[in-house]
Amino acid sequence: MGVFSSQHEQVVFCHDPHSGLRAIIAVYSTALGPALGGTRFYPYASEEEALHDVLELSRGMAYKNALAGLDLGGGKAVIWGDPEKDKSEALLRAYGRFVQSLGGRYYTACDVGTYVQDMDVVAKETRFVTGRSESHGGAGDSSVLTAYGVFQGMRAAAEHRWGTPSLAGRRIGIAGLGKVGKHLTRHLLEDGAAVVATDVSERALDWARATYPQVDLVGSNDELVASAIDVYAPCALGGALNDDTVAVLRAKIVAGAANNQLAHPGVEKLLAERDVLYAPDYVVNSGGVIQVADEIEGFNFARAKERAGRIYDTTKQILQVADAEGVPPALAADRLAERRMADVGRLRTILV
């Protein structure tokens, strides 16, 4: 997708030469309310690649927020650059001013390459920011409830597949031991599962060796996918499920935190043909957005965790609808999200 999507409401290119900021903010839909989605800081190979990512991610956020039961639309932002080299106070504050210029149509938060401390800096220039640190009145790290939601979605898929939500005795393959992958590892081990994992970062692997020596580590995602696992949990960047991956995948369930796991349309059908149960990514990984959305109304962790726990019920409903309608779970999830956006969005035509 190298051009604007006609389905998006607004796409804003942001440039501040002095700080080096190059960013794109995409608002897919405000049918349910202001758009909410994180800011990804990533060294894209080209502006076209950055645009493609933000358009896909913002659309995904609209569907995610709808199925999470939030009165929020979908948006996303990307900052084009290397967060290790290019991130600065001036750049983040310049970005914050662009967010503020949208007047509340878009709320931002953390994503790959951005952290709660960054949101605290962005918040110096805009009030439309979530995912701030607790010391600044925010909810803190959203990866906590993202991982909790993935765990609940995985449990729902396990019950649908094996008749019990317990993952005890199952072997779970985690691709990516970043913020979410670390918390997910803990949930799984506490539930009695065995974990095998991989990560491109040696620092993440060192963390696993020191913290959870019982976790088996493999050298690559290809090795992980082809290993004897019951559940595959992609928790890094998108596109993890492609023709080659699905062809060798030995897991019977896919449930992970990564966004846009299906590399292209049709992969969901390949999974179904191989009898692999796919828990749609934007359903099971919505715990983080539930957490930061709760921050808008004054954060309460217990309330946010209870809402994230409902991912279990939502995942079960989607898998049941998929069976009843004879469609892949990804399509069933899309239909439920589109129905809510249309039904609730239509209410705005009633003048009050």
Side-chain angles (χ1 to χ4, degrees), residues 141-308:
D141 185 2
S142 64
S143 65
V144 175
L145 289 189
T146 301
Y148 180 70
V150 171
F151 177 60
Q152 295 302 327
M154 195 181 291
R155 291 178 66 247
E159 182 175 21
H160 191 84
R161 168 64 68 177
W162 297 308
T164 174
S166 174
L167 292 161
R170 301 292 179 184
R171 189 168 171 82
I172 317 299
I174 301 178
L177 290 171
K179 293 183 286 186
V180 177
K182 291 175 180 177
H183 292 299
L184 180 59
T185 298
R186 174 176 56 83
H187 287 303
L188 291 168
L189 292 175
E190 289 176 352
D191 198 37
V195 174
V196 55
T198 190
D199 197 290
V200 296
S201 167
E202 192 61 36
R203 183 186 302 176
L205 297 176
D206 288 341
W207 170 88
R209 294 185 187 102
T211 310
Y212 298 116
Q214 68 269 47
V215 171
D216 292 332
L217 300 175
V218 296
S220 68
N221 186 60
D222 290 342
E223 187 178 347
L224 178 69
V225 168
S227 63
I229 54 177
D230 298 299
V231 181
Y232 175 48
C235 294
L237 296 177
L241 297 167
N242 54 41
D243 297 32
D244 295 336
T245 303
V246 175
V248 298
L249 183 64
R250 296 174 67 180
K252 288 301 178 183
I253 291 174
V254 174
N259 289 306
N260 300 323
Q261 292 172 22
L262 305 180
H264 61 79
V267 174
E268 70 279 4
K269 295 179 182 177
L270 296 177
L271 289 166
E273 289 170 1
R274 295 208 62 225
D275 196 30
V276 177
L277 184 63
Y278 171 64
D281 49 29
Y282 70 80
V283 178
V284 302
N285 69 11
S286 62
V289 75
I290 290 171
Q291 177 170 327
V292 297
D294 195 88
E295 188 177 320
I296 295 174
E297 57 182 299
F299 183 63
N300 180 291
F301 183 81
R303 178 179 61 202
K305 185 175 181 180
E306 188 275 330
R307 287 174 174 171

Side-chain angles (χ1 to χ4, degrees), residues 21 87 91 257 276 287 330:
L21 173 71
K87 189 186 295 182
L91 182 147
V276 177

